[in-house]
Amino acid sequence: MSWLSTTTGVLALAVALHGCSPSGSSSESSGDVAGDQLVTLAGRAAVGAPIANAPVDARCEGGKSFIESVTTNDSGGFLGQVESSALPCALRVTGNGEDRILHSYADSGDTINITPFTDLIIALSASMAPMDWFEQDEFASAVGSLNLARVEFLNALREAGYNLPGDGFDPFNSSFQINDAVDQLLDTFSAAVRNMPNVASYQAFVDLISSGNLEAIPEAPTESEDDGSGSGDEAGDGGDSGTDTGGDNDDDRDDDNDDEDEDDREGPIDILFG
């Protein structure tokens, strides 16, 4: 065998061994694992109206966060990724106004919303203001009773007259769109909280809920309070009443005249039989 044939055979064997080497296989495999380690957290931040163009922060296990900065879009939607090992995560959206600095909680890669409902359920479970909860190192254990708090809060909404969109509604994980049934519920609730006469601010309301005072939830507005459609009918009734009142006055005057006639007639009788 010539030296050229021998050299060619050695090179071919080296190439074959390199293609089957553990390092090549490990490199390809590690890329797949790295992709699997990222989970997506996506949802909507809204109070009825969307919390638009606002930063969303994640505070996860081990001090981790979103791998890139996250901001809501014009309709309050957001999407970010965290490492799966970083779950669970506390979430915060920072909009304009104290009632738009809201919090949520994610323990898996799923739809996750940030609304007054998620904020208040966290307050109820952690027995503290969500802004303080977000800064806790033990934020996960602080909401160990989150499922119970969610059930209690939703029951309190029902008792206050709010129409919840189905038995499976979950404020944290039920996806929704602006102006759909969930969003309209948020809008109605937020307006009712703003109009509470004895509560100075949203944070004051949060303090009431964090102390377990679910009776503080305002009653759902009635239809007449919502649209005032009954006012026109009432005005119409008032007009009809005015007409009737005029008729009644005429009758009263007739009765008065009859009484006067009777008095005139009774005068002599009283004299005769007095």
Side-chain angles (χ1 to χ4, degrees):
M1 180 181 294
S2 68
W3 67 270
L4 181 59
S5 299
T6 302
T7 303
T8 302
V10 171
L11 289 173
L13 179 61
V15 170
L17 290 174
H18 178 73
C20 297
S21 68
S23 61
S25 174
S26 174
S27 175
E28 183 178 352
S29 174
S30 64
D32 293 339
V33 171
D36 291 341
Q37 286 179 341
L38 293 179
V39 295
T40 298
L41 303 179
R44 195 170 307 281
V47 296
I51 303 177
N53 307 311
V56 179
D57 299 308
R59 193 164 188 267
C60 307
E61 290 293 326
K64 296 181 180 180
S65 184
F66 287 124
I67 61 172
E68 294 180 348
S69 61
V70 176
T71 303
T72 61
N73 60 22
D74 290 343
S75 61
F78 67 91
L79 184 151
Q81 290 184 311
V82 299
E83 295 179 10
S84 59
S85 60
L87 292 170
C89 297
L91 302 180
R92 177 183 64 195
V93 63
T94 306
N96 294 324
E98 65 164 7
D99 62 337
R100 300 195 177 200
I101 302 175
L102 302 174
H103 303 78
S104 192
Y105 179 78
D107 57 6
S108 64
D110 201 347
T111 297
I112 183 69
N113 301 310
I114 311 176
T115 71
F117 291 161
T118 62
D119 198 57
L120 293 167
I121 291 170
I122 288 171
L124 181 63
S125 178
S127 299
M128 68 177 74
M131 62 177 60
D132 296 330
W133 164 81
F134 185 81
E135 301 298 336
Q136 297 285 316
D137 290 335
E138 302 299 326
F139 65 86
S141 60
V143 289
S145 61
L146 190 68
N147 288 335
L148 176 61
R150 175 168 28 210
V151 171
E152 291 177 344
F153 182 82
L154 293 179
N155 285 340
L157 285 181
R158 292 187 184 95
E159 291 174 2
Y162 294 91
N163 293 320
L164 272 59
D167 294 336
F169 171 60
D170 183 342
F172 289 85
N173 303 129
S174 294
S175 61
F176 70 96
Q177 303 294 324
I178 298 301
N179 292 326
D180 70 3
V182 174
D183 189 61
Q184 290 174 16
L185 172 63
L186 285 167
D187 197 30
T188 300
F189 177 80
S190 296
V193 171
R194 286 194 300 270
N195 293 330
M196 293 177 70
N198 299 320
V199 178
S201 65
Y202 173 74
Q203 288 305 322
F205 180 64
V206 169
D207 291 341
L208 290 172
I209 299 301
S210 68
S211 66
N213 187 5
L214 289 173
E215 292 79 9
I217 291 176
E219 294 290 325
T222 62
E223 289 185 7
S224 60
E225 290 173 337
D226 284 339
D227 56 24
S229 58
S231 59
D233 294 337
E234 291 172 2
D237 291 343
D240 293 339
S241 298
T243 303
D244 293 341
T245 301
D248 292 342
N249 289 339
D250 291 340
D251 292 340
D252 291 341
R253 285 194 296 271
D254 291 340
D255 292 339
D256 291 339
N257 291 335
D258 292 339
D259 292 338
E260 290 173 3
D261 293 339
E262 289 175 3
D263 290 340
D264 292 339
R265 289 192 299 269
E266 290 172 359
I269 295 174
D270 290 338
I271 294 173
L272 292 173
F273 297 96

